[in-house]
Amino acid sequence: MTDSKYFTTTKKGEIFELKAELNSDKKEKKKEAVKKVIASMTVGKDVSALFPDVVNCMQTDNLELKKLVYLYLMNYAKSQPDMAIMAVNTFVKDCEDPNPLIRALAVRTMGCIRVDKITEYLCEPLRKCLKDEDPYVRKTAAVCVAKLHDINAQLVEDQGFLDTLKDLISDSNPMVVANAVAALSEIAESHPNSNLLDLNPQTINKLLTALNECTEWGQIFILDCLANYMPRDDRESQSICERVTPRLSHANSAVVLSAVKVLMKFMEMLPKDLDYYGTLLKKLAPPLVTLLSAEPELQYVALRNINLIVQKRPEILKHEMKVFFVKYNDPIYVKLEKLDIMIRLASQANIAQVLAELKEYATEVDVDFVRKAVRAIGRCAIKVEQSAERCVSTLLDLIQTKVNYVVQEAIVVIKDIFRKYPNKYESVIATLCENLDSLDEPEARAAMIWIVGEYAERIDNADELLESFLEGFHDESTQVQLQLLTAIVKLFLKKPTETQELVQQVLSLATQDSDNPDLRDRGYIYWRLLSTDPVAAKEVVLAEKPLISEETDLIEPTLLEELICHIGTLASVYHKPPSAFVEGSRGVQHKRIPARAGSGESAESSDVGQSGPSEAPPAVIPSQGDLLGDLLNLDLAPPTATVPSVQPSMQMGAMDLLGGGLDSLMGDDSDTLGGDIGGSPSMGAGLGAAPAAMPASLGAAPAVGGGLGDLFDLGGGVGMPTGSYVAPKTVWLLAMKGKGLEISGTFARRGGIIQMDLTLTNKAMSVMTDFAIQFNRNSFGLAPAGPLQVLTPLSPNQTIDVSLPLSTSGPVMKMEPLNNLQVAVKNNIDVFYFSCQYPLSLLFVEDGKMDRQVFLATWKDIPNENEAHFQIKDIHLNSDVASNKLQGSNIFTIAKRTVEGQDMLYQSVKLTNGIWVLAEMRIQTGNPNYTLSIRCRAPEVCQFVYLCYELVLKN
Amino acid sequence: MIHSLFLVNASGDIFLEKHWKSVVSRSVCDYFFEALERATEPENVPPVIPTPHHFLINVLRHRIYFVAVIQSEVPPLFVIEFLHRVVDTFQDYFGVCTEAAIKDNVVVVYELLEEMLDNGFPLATESNILKELIKPPTILRTVVNTITGSTNVGEQLPTGQLSVVPWRRTGVKYTNNEAYFDVVEEIDAIIDKSGSTITAEIQGVIDACVKLTGMPDLTLSFMNPRLLDDVSFHPCVRFKRWEAERILSFIPPDGNFRLLSYHVSSQNLVAIPVYVKHNISFREGSSQGRFELTLGPKQTMGKAVESVLVSSQLPRGVLNASLSPSQGTYTFDPVTKLLSWDVGKINPQKLPSLKGSVSLQTGASKPDENPTINIQFKIQQLAISGLKVNRLDMYGEKYKPFKGIKYMTKAGKFQVRT
């Protein structure tokens, strides 16, 4: 007596037979017939022809039969909309039933019938059910609003259901709250800007209360909703974290991961020195580890998320390396993820263990996994410098196994190790060359060819080796062909005498016999280079390569931040922003991790950008290439020998062209070219004018402002040397880009002298000496007033602080943004370039107090259109304190007037190049927002003066 | 939320589909079948599969793939946990979760699925609530229903659904009041060639079977609660009390449930109860290899190691094995190359061993990979972490229940590398 009997009617007139049974008078027979219909439906058979007969069975007091009919209706109503109307009356009647189960069932089923005509009739019953006395009905109705919204969004809005739904967030029953949150979240997904879930401290409190009492699924909805909230301060953030932490011990892994998301996001706001911060970090590790003992599919999702967490906060799991060790019967997708995380967690402390494991994995059966394990060994070598030697010897051991794919994979990673540690492990080249014949994969062949080309001078038979590859040139893949071309050119430049024939052969193969445009172009470039200027060719082809960075596959930080806000979602599984791949979430708002309390970036500063006078789109930070191009014509002679400021602008342009060209040849951004040319005309104008005539030339130049955005991006970097306040040092040159030299610094004005405070750190392994510094031309002619005083050599890991006095008599060129300063620092290793921005208050001179009369006259004299207005928000100082504070930074108050409770301060500032800036500041008692009007003959400085005001007043 | 569910059997046929929103064509499963084809082993199918318009999330249980279809951003763990719940419910209702059982009860299955999700939102997933809404099929009930025409669908709103203790129904009555707790610990370990432990951790659970009348309020305390620093509780456990006093205080669900699961990972706490001596060697150029295994008890606190089962995936080049066990029986499957040895109980006086030779394909080179040895065993009356229950008390009801605690240690993923 099982349900399988329902499948057995396979005679000819099945539908006909069912029809007869459905219309039978006997209740029992009817029910059996409906069950048969449902059974056919479950296996995907089309039984829609029975629609009227089944709907006729709906009017019954047998709940089971009713449910079965409803099941049928949901599936087929869409195909028979006219017939579906027949069911409406019963629904409406059921919504009034005394039994809450039936009321709920009716409203629930109605919502599932995706027929427009029915939805109109649904509104009234739904409205009643949303206010039903029974919470079971209310919670069902809440979900029904989401269903209805999916069918007819406009209707839901017109009927005011959204507001009712919002009210349900404050319902007394936690299950109702959870469902309301779930429904609102789903609706909000298709309405990204609707601000449906308007979270404030009160609703948050309600959600947190409901969180403790509702079902596990409700907890997931509530936690996911909480994660969208931006706490006002670190205390609120901490209290939310405290109330969410118990969820980490829940048996449902989805609850745990959602709780992890909330904590990871909110702990960002907590000060790091807080005890609670440390406690929280400790509490996060065990639940993550526990997730890894669950079923493999749960493990997979957990591992993808842990991969993100480890990148954001490696400290959480740094002691848990062992849980990521691979078991041989883990599914392959779990194995590969574990391996990835093992490399991320690898450090000097655990590298021995990790290497032993990886070596073990390299002997497993699964080819994909073995390959990845071999690759992982290479990545460890690059990441943990101390282990490089052991990694290389492990790789050599593996090459000895002669297992084909292991050898190939090992050669690919050894190439990377050579890049990272040049001139260190070349002794292994001989072993590699032995395996030349067994390489059949393009990547491995290309890697091997690269090694031969790069170390051609140390391999006696390099020409023979490369020649052997050349025989089957046209059968190779593009990757190998390109590599072969480059390698032979390198060889030629190193051993020109014996290899002339070889290079000619490869050039003609590449340029004449190949139809691949990339190969042809590269061939021509080399050819021209070699034929016009072999010395230049050498510089280009054999140029020193930048070191490869430690971890190549880190997720880009802004994406990582966004993904951290989406822990536990599909986005986190695919490591892509949610907008990139999920349908129906067009225009998803990008979530942002809240800023830590006390960090430089405040919410106001982003407002300022909009209230500022310029409408220009935010500019991009000058690209590295741009900088390089401009600085290429900088000579690093002592500062006294500066080039006269009047120089034919044509020549400069030409040099830039060359610079840009070189860059693109070397494979860098080729965009630099256009940028540099565009820059030169205005530069020429700036050059022609002497510093004294600066204001005029500035005024004539097109308005600056494109670069305003940069200032805000600097975060804590915009410093302001007031009487007491000097901005903290920020890193200007990363050790990675400076071949081990790290430079951080700030600017200060002390007793009328401008100083650049620098901290130089040697993170390389060798001693650094012979430091020198040079500035590129800049808007206010800043230049070093003396040499860089680094007297003793800088030994590894040593840090030195230097103060460099600056003068303002250097060559002038208008920069974008105005306060941009491009700097070149030289040492015995190389020349490094970076750019930084200085606060304009650096240039406010001590004798900037204007005579009252002169002020009045000048104010009138400056045309009205040169006046700019700004708002300074959230200043709780009275006018006298503010005025004193500003005076510390050479912003002088000339007069003060009080009109109707409003203080007006009139102030003047003089810049080092003689530009006067006049300002009027209005302070209304009780209003923390000041209004600032600035007039200046060179209106582009107004914005920067304003920023100085803001910084001085806020610090 | 969850759009649809497809059940796919081992031969790749869809035998059930259920849609909670609009109908999604079953052709969406083609993407799943592609992934299935690519996977070398059935369990290697990736859990999340993207398709142009949907995402498929699947779990494999009892040789059935449960494939959920989602359309918008939904937490994958939420879907997976829900699918686990579906599997558990089927098992609970039909005793087994097989294709036959599901097909036999297809209407109940449909009713259950409809009750568990509404528009993709979970509605009722607690077993006791579901059982009040839809009665599990029993032979007696089917007979009675056919005769009287009554139904197996509950007519009333389940009582637990909205109470503060949704996991327990009211009005429970038993003539014999009993509460049993099983402390079961599984050791996951990787042992390297030389016999030293690479990783070892304990996954422990306390499963309960509580049949108590009324609304009992239980407390369970441990002799050494400090062991439990990484725990997941059943929702019935009062978390605050645990935080403050390290006591489990709860109103239990009726029947079987998992009270607690825990994880002990610090290595010095994990005793390894068995050791393996192995010598598996192949010589270059010879078609014979030596194979020797000896098992012995290690740290078992004086308890016997039982139900020992050793299995190992031998290298592909192995043709056959001719071995002799000192006890138990062994089998070698020449197709899958799986060697398994049913040892039984380990007698510390006379250690079990398996010795002999394995033959390789003639002319084949020495295998590259070393086989890993998988060991299963059981130790009764012992929780290897040392966890001990101190006492169990009941409040809120007058009668005196019968109480029982049982301990057991098992091997989880216990692997020895050679």
Side-chain angles (χ1 to χ4, degrees):
Chain A
M1 288 295 286
T2 66
D3 292 351
S4 52
K5 66 175 184 276
Y6 301 127
F7 290 115
T8 52
T9 48
T10 46
K11 286 173 225 151
K12 268 188 196 167
E14 184 188 342
I15 296 281
F16 179 78
E17 214 170 88
L18 281 172
K19 217 177 177 84
E21 284 176 40
L22 284 170
N23 290 317
S24 153
D25 297 334
K26 284 188 196 139
K27 250 192 199 171
E28 206 40 43
K29 202 154 197 185
K30 257 190 189 173
K31 198 163 92 185
E32 291 299 293
V34 176
K35 281 192 178 178
K36 281 181 198 167
V37 174
I38 299 281
S40 312
M41 197 175 81
T42 58
V43 290
K45 253 186 229 169
D46 184 17
V47 282
S48 58
L50 294 166
F51 198 89
D53 309 280
V54 178
V55 171
N56 272 337
C57 303
M58 194 171 160
Q59 285 276 14
T60 171
D61 35 0
N62 181 314
L63 189 58
E64 187 182 16
L65 183 55
K66 198 181 259 296
K67 277 190 167 180
L68 291 171
V69 175
Y70 281 0
L71 270 178
Y72 178 89
L73 265 177
M74 282 183 236
N75 245 17
Y76 289 115
K78 186 122 190 157
S79 56
Q80 309 262 346
D82 295 324
M83 297 285 205
I85 281 288
M86 288 164 48
V88 164
N89 265 335
T90 323
F91 280 131
V92 174
K93 211 176 95 200
D94 281 356
C95 284
E96 307 273 332
D97 198 278
N99 184 344
L101 194 58
I102 293 185
R103 291 204 298 276
L105 186 65
V107 76
R108 184 174 135 200
T109 314
M110 261 179 110
C112 292
I113 297 177
R114 309 172 61 85
V115 177
D116 274 341
K117 281 182 189 160
I118 287 204
T119 50
E120 290 165 27
Y121 295 94
L122 180 56
C123 292
E124 273 323 298
L126 178 58
R127 199 186 313 284
K128 259 184 219 155
C129 288
L130 280 168
K131 304 233 155 96
D132 199 284
E133 52 174 21
D134 195 298
Y136 183 76
V137 180
R138 289 204 300 277
K139 86 169 196 172
T140 315
V143 174
C144 190
V145 176
K147 295 180 194 168
L148 194 57
H149 187 272
D150 196 24
I151 304 166
N152 190 341
Q154 196 56 44
L155 183 74
V156 170
E157 276 168 46
D158 295 347
Q159 295 279 335
F161 284 138
L162 292 182
D163 294 322
T164 324
L165 204 51
K166 279 187 213 165
D167 292 343
L168 286 184
I169 291 188
S170 317
D171 198 278
S172 58
N173 186 294
M175 252 68 86
V176 179
V177 177
N179 273 17
V181 168
L184 280 172
S185 307
E186 192 178 79
I187 295 173
E189 222 173 85
S190 54
H191 271 244
N193 301 316
S194 58
N195 202 19
L196 273 177
L197 278 161
D198 182 20
L199 297 173
N200 54 47
Q202 285 77 40
T203 46
I204 289 295
N205 203 25
K206 277 183 187 126
L207 291 182
L208 285 169
T209 313
L211 181 63
N212 285 328
E213 290 168 11
C214 66
T215 65
E216 49 197 313
W217 313 111
Q219 295 185 11
I220 301 171
F221 298 138
I222 292 182
L223 286 169
D224 285 348
C225 176
L226 275 179
N228 292 332
Y229 178 63
M230 245 344 143
R232 287 162 307 172
D233 51 31
D234 48 330
R235 285 175 60 192
E236 189 183 10
S237 182
Q238 180 176 349
S239 89
I240 294 176
C241 286
E242 277 164 0
R243 293 178 71 176
V244 166
T245 317
R247 296 304 119 206
L248 292 176
S249 299
H250 201 285
N252 187 319
S253 59
V255 175
V256 175
L257 205 55
S258 289
V260 169
K261 161 164 59 188
V262 174
L263 295 175
M264 280 295 287
K265 191 178 169 192
F266 287 5
M267 75 191 294
E268 199 70 18
M269 278 187 80
L270 302 177
K272 279 198 168 166
D273 46 357
L274 196 70
D275 284 348
Y276 182 71
Y277 179 82
T279 322
L280 202 53
L281 274 184
K282 269 191 215 117
K283 279 193 175 167
L284 276 170
L288 291 174
V289 171
T290 304
L291 288 179
L292 296 183
S293 54
E295 289 81 354
E297 58 273 359
L298 289 178
Q299 278 189 48
Y300 171 73
V301 177
L303 284 165
R304 291 296 284 173
N305 282 287
I306 288 172
N307 202 327
L308 296 174
I309 293 169
V310 164
Q311 288 184 56
K312 180 77 189 161
R313 299 198 174 282
E315 63 269 34
I316 294 178
L317 287 168
K318 68 177 173 208
H319 298 304
E320 304 290 347
M321 171 63 92
K322 286 189 171 176
V323 299
F324 299 103
F325 284 0
V326 172
K327 307 218 167 63
Y328 90 98
N329 49 0
D330 282 335
I332 182 73
Y333 55 82
V334 168
K335 284 183 176 174
L336 296 177
E337 288 305 315
K338 281 187 173 173
L339 204 52
D340 216 37
I341 295 172
M342 277 172 69
I343 303 163
R344 295 207 191 284
L345 287 177
S347 66
Q348 205 183 338
N350 55 25
I351 193 74
Q353 256 184 341
V354 173
L355 268 183
E357 279 295 303
L358 292 176
K359 202 177 170 187
E360 195 72 43
Y361 303 159
T363 63
E364 281 218 24
V365 191
D366 192 300
V367 177
D368 282 343
F369 180 59
V370 171
R371 282 172 178 275
K372 190 146 185 188
V374 176
R375 231 163 241 240
I377 297 174
R379 277 171 67 188
C380 284
I382 289 163
K383 191 175 172 195
V384 186
E385 193 169 350
Q386 294 82 354
S387 77
E389 196 149 351
R390 294 172 71 165
C391 294
V392 171
S393 74
T394 308
L395 287 170
L396 283 180
D397 286 352
L398 290 172
I399 289 178
Q400 298 305 346
T401 64
K402 302 277 177 199
V403 178
N404 187 276
Y405 52 84
V406 174
V407 174
Q408 309 213 35
E409 211 58 47
I411 286 182
V412 172
V413 295
I414 285 181
K415 173 204 68 180
D416 289 341
I417 297 177
F418 282 174
R419 273 294 298 277
K420 170 82 183 183
Y421 309 109
N423 309 321
K424 220 170 165 186
Y425 299 110
E426 283 67 33
S427 51
V428 308
I429 291 177
T431 322
L432 301 185
C433 290
E434 287 166 19
N435 292 287
L436 215 57
D437 301 331
S438 63
L439 308 179
D440 53 9
E441 289 163 26
E443 202 182 353
R445 285 175 85 83
M448 192 64 220
I449 293 170
W450 182 87
I451 293 171
V452 174
E454 189 69 15
Y455 295 100
E457 68 273 28
R458 309 192 190 189
I459 306 172
D460 295 335
N461 60 343
D463 47 344
E464 285 168 31
L465 292 176
L466 292 176
E467 201 169 359
S468 68
F469 280 106
L470 206 55
E471 280 160 19
F473 189 78
H474 289 297
D475 302 328
E476 300 283 3
S477 72
T478 312
Q479 190 185 8
V480 180
Q481 289 176 332
L482 287 169
Q483 206 50 260
L484 197 53
L485 173 61
T486 306
I488 292 179
V489 171
K490 280 183 193 164
L491 175 71
F492 171 70
L493 289 168
K494 288 175 179 175
K495 300 179 181 172
T497 45
E498 310 115 72
T499 55
Q500 203 149 8
E501 204 172 309
L502 193 61
V503 80
Q504 266 164 5
Q505 199 182 342
V506 76
L507 286 175
S508 88
L509 276 171
T511 53
Q512 284 157 27
D513 300 346
S514 168
D515 47 9
N516 180 331
D518 286 344
L519 187 63
R520 213 172 46 214
D521 286 355
R522 197 189 284 194
Y524 276 126
I525 290 169
Y526 283 145
W527 203 328
R528 302 256 153 93
L529 260 174
L530 291 173
S531 55
T532 47
D533 187 354
V535 181
K538 212 163 185 167
E539 272 171 30
V540 172
V541 179
L542 302 180
E544 201 176 320
K545 286 158 208 64
L547 293 180
I548 51 177
S549 73
E550 284 183 358
E551 283 184 77
T552 40
D553 56 346
L554 284 178
I555 296 176
E556 189 259 326
T558 49
L559 176 60
L560 181 61
E561 295 232 327
E562 195 181 353
L563 288 177
I564 287 287
C565 300
H566 286 99
I567 282 177
T569 64
L570 281 170
S572 71
V573 171
Y574 283 98
H575 292 185
K576 282 183 193 161
S579 48
F581 63 98
V582 176
E583 270 197 13
S585 58
R586 293 148 270 125
V588 169
Q589 283 169 316
H590 289 270
K591 293 184 187 169
R592 196 161 72 89
I593 284 190
R596 194 178 298 281
S599 86
E601 189 190 49
S602 63
E604 278 82 356
S605 64
S606 57
D607 291 344
V608 168
Q610 280 135 27
S611 66
S614 99
E615 305 269 13
V620 196
I621 292 183
S623 74
Q624 193 62 29
D626 220 354
L627 199 63
L628 253 174
D630 275 352
L631 281 170
L632 266 178
N633 43 30
L634 250 182
D635 57 343
L636 278 155
T640 43
T642 38
V643 203
S645 57
V646 187
Q647 196 183 19
S649 61
M650 251 329 280
Q651 192 189 331
M652 298 251 323
M655 287 186 79
D656 279 349
L657 252 176
L658 182 61
L662 265 174
D663 284 349
S664 58
L665 245 188
M666 291 193 291
D668 280 353
D669 281 350
S670 49
D671 294 357
T672 53
L673 210 74
D676 286 344
I677 295 172
S680 27
S682 71
M683 203 174 65
L687 278 171
M694 195 54 193
S697 85
L698 271 178
V704 192
L708 291 183
D710 289 4
L711 260 185
F712 307 116
D713 288 337
L714 270 177
V718 183
M720 180 67 195
T722 64
S724 57
Y725 178 71
V726 176
K729 286 180 181 172
T730 47
V731 177
W732 285 336
L733 179 71
L734 290 169
M736 219 167 65
K737 291 193 174 156
K739 298 195 178 169
L741 176 66
E742 186 184 274
I743 301 180
S744 55
T746 185
F747 295 94
R749 188 180 179 94
R750 298 192 184 95
I753 296 165
I754 305 171
Q755 282 179 322
M756 186 179 192
D757 294 342
L758 292 165
T759 301
L760 309 176
T761 309
N762 181 355
K763 296 199 169 171
M765 303 311 290
S766 55
V767 175
M768 294 177 179
T769 53
D770 307 332
F771 285 92
I773 193 164
Q774 176 70 289
F775 295 172
N776 202 358
R777 289 145 225 274
N778 54 68
S779 316
F780 294 93
L782 282 175
L788 189 61
Q789 297 284 340
V790 185
L791 300 174
T792 49
L794 199 55
S795 46
N797 281 327
Q798 197 192 345
T799 297
I800 188 167
D801 285 317
V802 197
S803 241
L804 180 73
L806 305 182
S807 72
T808 51
S809 52
V812 174
M813 177 177 96
K814 200 177 155 201
M815 297 299 293
E816 289 259 8
L818 206 58
N819 62 345
N820 196 17
L821 182 64
Q822 298 179 337
V823 183
V825 170
K826 179 187 95 94
N827 63 10
N828 58 331
I829 298 171
D830 208 338
V831 184
F832 310 106
Y833 307 99
F834 59 87
S835 75
C836 51
Q837 290 171 356
Y838 48 90
L840 213 64
S841 54
L842 214 57
L843 308 165
F844 295 178
V845 294
E846 276 67 20
D847 61 344
K849 186 156 185 169
M850 218 179 215
D851 182 34
R852 278 181 159 214
Q853 296 307 317
V854 180
F855 183 91
L856 231 90
T858 320
W859 186 269
K860 281 183 192 152
D861 207 7
I862 298 174
N864 279 339
E865 58 267 28
N866 277 12
E867 187 173 320
H869 302 275
F870 303 93
Q871 280 261 323
I872 308 177
K873 291 186 179 165
D874 275 338
I875 307 289
H876 300 276
L877 305 169
N878 69 32
S879 57
D880 289 337
V881 178
S883 154
N884 277 339
K885 245 186 152 178
L886 290 168
Q887 181 132 11
S889 296
N890 297 341
I891 302 175
F892 298 95
T893 305
I894 295 163
K896 176 179 164 184
R897 221 155 44 108
T898 308
V899 183
E900 296 164 359
Q902 191 170 276
D903 286 340
M904 325 256 267
L905 299 180
Y906 296 94
Q907 296 164 322
S908 70
V909 169
K910 189 181 166 193
L911 301 184
T912 45
N913 57 5
I915 296 183
W916 284 94
V917 181
L918 312 184
E920 177 199 78
M921 189 160 75
R922 293 182 205 196
I923 304 172
Q924 199 143 24
T925 12
N927 183 353
N929 298 343
Y930 295 1
T931 313
L932 183 70
S933 311
I934 301 177
R935 277 192 184 199
C936 178
R937 288 215 164 84
E940 46 273 82
V941 302
C942 295
Q943 174 68 23
F944 297 93
V945 172
Y946 150 66
L947 288 171
C948 296
Y949 264 86
E950 185 167 73
L951 266 163
V952 174
L953 290 172
K954 287 196 173 168
N955 287 296
Chain B
M1 292 291 121
I2 301 171
H3 231 85
S4 306
L5 174 71
F6 294 95
L7 302 193
V8 179
N9 64 16
S11 44
D13 299 321
I14 302 170
F15 66 92
L16 189 113
E17 59 181 78
K18 166 80 183 128
H19 306 277
W20 285 278
K21 291 185 166 183
S22 49
V23 178
V24 178
S25 158
R26 56 167 65 192
S27 63
V28 75
C29 288
D30 291 351
Y31 294 95
F32 170 75
F33 294 132
E34 271 172 35
L36 188 61
E37 229 163 79
R38 268 198 302 273
T40 46
E41 302 280 330
E43 51 274 1
N44 278 351
V45 180
V48 188
I49 301 167
T51 81
H53 302 287
H54 302 88
F55 283 86
L56 306 178
I57 298 184
N58 73 84
V59 305
L60 174 64
R61 287 291 178 284
H62 309 284
R63 308 186 63 220
I64 300 171
Y65 289 101
F66 290 76
V67 185
V69 181
I70 57 174
Q71 199 160 29
S72 54
E73 176 66 89
V74 178
L77 280 187
F78 163 95
V79 181
I80 294 172
E81 283 279 358
F82 177 79
L83 293 178
H84 288 173
R85 222 49 65 86
V86 171
V87 178
D88 294 346
T89 308
F90 287 174
Q91 193 142 25
D92 196 22
Y93 264 71
F94 315 128
V96 284
C97 179
T98 59
E99 184 181 353
I102 292 172
K103 275 188 172 162
D104 280 352
N105 297 289
V106 71
V107 176
V108 178
V109 165
Y110 234 63
E111 286 171 336
L112 279 173
L113 290 176
E114 183 61 27
E115 212 57 63
M116 291 177 84
L117 274 191
D118 174 20
N119 196 36
F121 298 104
L123 199 58
T125 52
E126 286 284 341
S127 141
N128 69 69
I129 292 179
L130 283 172
K131 281 186 178 161
E132 277 187 63
L133 285 167
I134 300 155
K135 304 230 167 55
T138 61
I139 294 172
L140 184 68
R141 187 168 299 123
T142 327
V143 175
V144 171
N145 285 354
T146 354
I147 296 166
T148 61
S150 65
T151 78
N152 63 347
V153 169
E155 302 262 344
Q156 287 308 314
L157 194 59
T159 46
Q161 179 97 27
L162 291 160
S163 74
V164 205
V165 277
W167 53 85
R168 189 173 180 90
R169 58 197 172 96
T170 49
V172 183
K173 273 210 179 78
Y174 288 102
T175 41
N176 294 321
N177 288 298
E178 356 172 79
Y180 296 107
F181 293 86
D182 288 356
V183 180
V184 181
E185 296 193 337
E186 289 191 0
I187 307 180
D188 289 352
I190 303 177
I191 313 286
D192 77 357
K193 276 189 198 57
S194 60
S196 50
T197 311
I198 293 179
T199 69
E201 53 190 22
I202 295 171
Q203 313 292 346
V205 295
I206 299 183
D207 283 336
C209 173
V210 176
K211 294 181 172 172
L212 297 174
T213 307
M215 270 290 168
D217 197 333
L218 304 180
T219 59
L220 184 73
S221 64
F222 298 96
M223 308 276 264
N224 39 8
R226 235 184 258 162
L227 276 174
L228 305 175
D229 60 345
D230 181 5
V231 283
S232 312
F233 296 118
H234 189 277
C236 69
V237 177
R238 297 182 180 101
F239 190 75
K240 288 239 167 73
R241 188 94 191 263
W242 170 257
E243 286 269 274
E245 303 169 52
R246 296 275 142 176
I247 283 176
L248 294 180
S249 156
F250 55 98
I251 295 174
D254 186 39
N256 294 312
F257 66 100
R258 176 157 294 174
L259 177 65
L260 157 83
S261 54
Y262 58 94
H263 180 91
V264 181
S265 63
S266 23
Q267 214 155 100
N268 43 6
L269 286 175
V270 181
I272 302 293
V274 293
Y275 70 87
V276 183
K277 268 197 220 153
H278 52 82
N279 180 7
I280 303 171
S281 56
F282 303 98
R283 257 170 306 149
E284 198 68 65
S286 159
S287 63
Q288 292 286 316
R290 267 157 59 101
F291 188 99
E292 277 182 38
L293 274 186
T294 308
L295 293 177
K298 220 169 158 183
Q299 298 151 289
T300 61
M301 328 287 167
K303 301 281 196 296
V305 185
E306 297 168 330
S307 314
V308 181
L309 187 72
V310 176
S311 60
S312 179
Q313 183 78 45
L314 296 187
R316 271 168 295 187
V318 173
L319 265 190
N320 215 333
S322 120
L323 306 167
S324 60
S326 69
Q327 71 179 73
T329 53
Y330 87 95
T331 55
F332 177 73
D333 185 336
V335 181
T336 60
K337 316 292 180 199
L338 186 73
L339 173 79
S340 69
W341 175 28
D342 189 350
V343 183
K345 193 169 166 177
I346 296 183
N347 177 356
Q349 267 71 51
K350 194 173 160 295
L351 298 178
S353 64
L354 180 67
K355 289 180 186 166
S357 62
V358 290
S359 51
L360 294 172
Q361 271 158 340
T362 38
S365 62
K366 193 175 147 230
D368 303 320
E369 72 262 23
N370 304 322
T372 301
I373 300 166
N374 236 8
I375 301 178
Q376 286 166 32
F377 55 80
K378 274 184 193 165
I379 305 172
Q380 302 284 355
Q381 297 308 318
L382 173 72
I384 196 94
S385 68
L387 186 74
K388 267 211 157 63
V389 173
N390 185 21
R391 54 183 300 148
L392 175 72
D393 296 300
M394 187 184 75
Y395 304 93
E397 295 288 338
K398 295 253 156 53
Y399 56 86
K400 228 179 151 48
F402 185 80
K403 301 177 280 193
I405 307 268
K406 215 166 71 182
Y407 298 92
M408 170 139 82
T409 297
K410 290 198 284 194
K413 288 179 178 166
F414 195 98
Q415 306 184 344
V416 180
R417 292 178 181 160
T418 64

